[in-house]
Amino acid sequence: MNGTPSLAYVPPATAPSWKRWLVCSPLARIVIFMVLFIALNRSSSALVHVLMHGIAKTPLSSALTYLAVVLLPAIVTYVFLVRVVERRKPEELAPRRWPGALGGLLAGGLLFSTVVGVLWLLGSYHVTGFNPHADWLPALLVTGIGAGIGEEIMFRGVLFRVTEEGLGTWAALLISALFFGFAHAGNPGATAWSSAAIAIEAGLLFGLLYHVTRSLPICMGLHAAWNFCQGTVYGIPVSGLKADGWLVSTRTGPDWLSGGVFGAEASVVALTLCLLCSAALLAVALRRHSLVPPSWRRR
């Protein structure tokens, strides 16, 4: 990178001042994304409610509803933000980036498997049976594809990327991580500790991964694999959400070790391993001199 920060978007110097503030500024673009996303989300919800009236609710239909009212609006809104507001090609989603999604999937599976392995060695994770009839498809659609793509668009593609362009990398990491942890505060079994753990282990890790790679697909792959392995493979609740896993498992020991009812994401083991990965990514960023300073220091 030759010591030059890589930013996806820089407001055009020729734009009038009102446009630079009301359209091009980081805060304006985040607000535009949120307003349009909420509008599309509510419209989709109303349409799905009409179309699904009288149809029995099943795990699969609920999963498809989630994709329609959350994932699809997030994708459409992001395309609008990039192509219409920022008037650029989405380099962070370019075709050459998508092979990285496979690397993300492998890394996510390996990382969470390591978490489980350490918990097993410490006597906290126990397999009590095998469930070949686990309902894996709804989990793949919601906690895998839905959360992996949708949350990475919102928290890394918009919140981290746009904040970094205005306030710099350090502020973007802090703000996006805090919001990511807060977004999980309403999940079943959530506590102040679990929200802080999510913010530190996942918010920082995904933010640094995006900063180093400038790729959303690799973040999406890691996020999806982490969630899918946690719930469907190892039978551990995903951010407090009940899991129907191929492995029937229990976790024992204090909540700080096992993660309690929230799942292994609230375990000090996951926190430690993810922090080590974040430290490695930060070392890469420091070696490249790629950390972005606030916009007023780039002038």
Side-chain angles (χ1 to χ4, degrees), residues 9 18-26 28-29 32 85-86:
Y9 175 77
W18 69 265
K19 186 175 182 180
R20 292 177 66 87
W21 282 104
L22 297 180
V23 179
C24 302
S25 70
R29 283 179 285 143
I32 288 170
V85 177
E86 297 179 345

Side-chain angles (χ1 to χ4, degrees), residues 91-174:
E91 274 298 309
E92 62 277 20
L93 287 170
R96 62 186 176 85
R97 305 282 192 189
W98 283 96
L102 178 58
L105 289 170
L106 294 174
L110 177 61
L111 180 56
F112 194 81
S113 295
T114 304
V115 171
V116 172
V118 174
L119 288 173
W120 176 76
L121 288 173
L122 294 175
S124 178
Y125 178 79
H126 314 275
V127 176
T128 59
F130 180 69
N131 176 23
H133 305 295
D135 198 6
W136 59 271
L137 183 56
L140 175 65
L141 294 175
V142 176
T143 63
I145 296 173
I149 296 177
E151 291 182 8
E152 289 311 304
I153 283 176
M154 289 186 277
F155 288 97
R156 258 58 65 178
V158 178
L159 186 57
F160 175 83
R161 176 182 66 81
V162 176
T163 301
E164 185 184 41
E165 290 165 3
L167 301 180
T169 304
W170 290 116
L173 283 171
L174 177 62

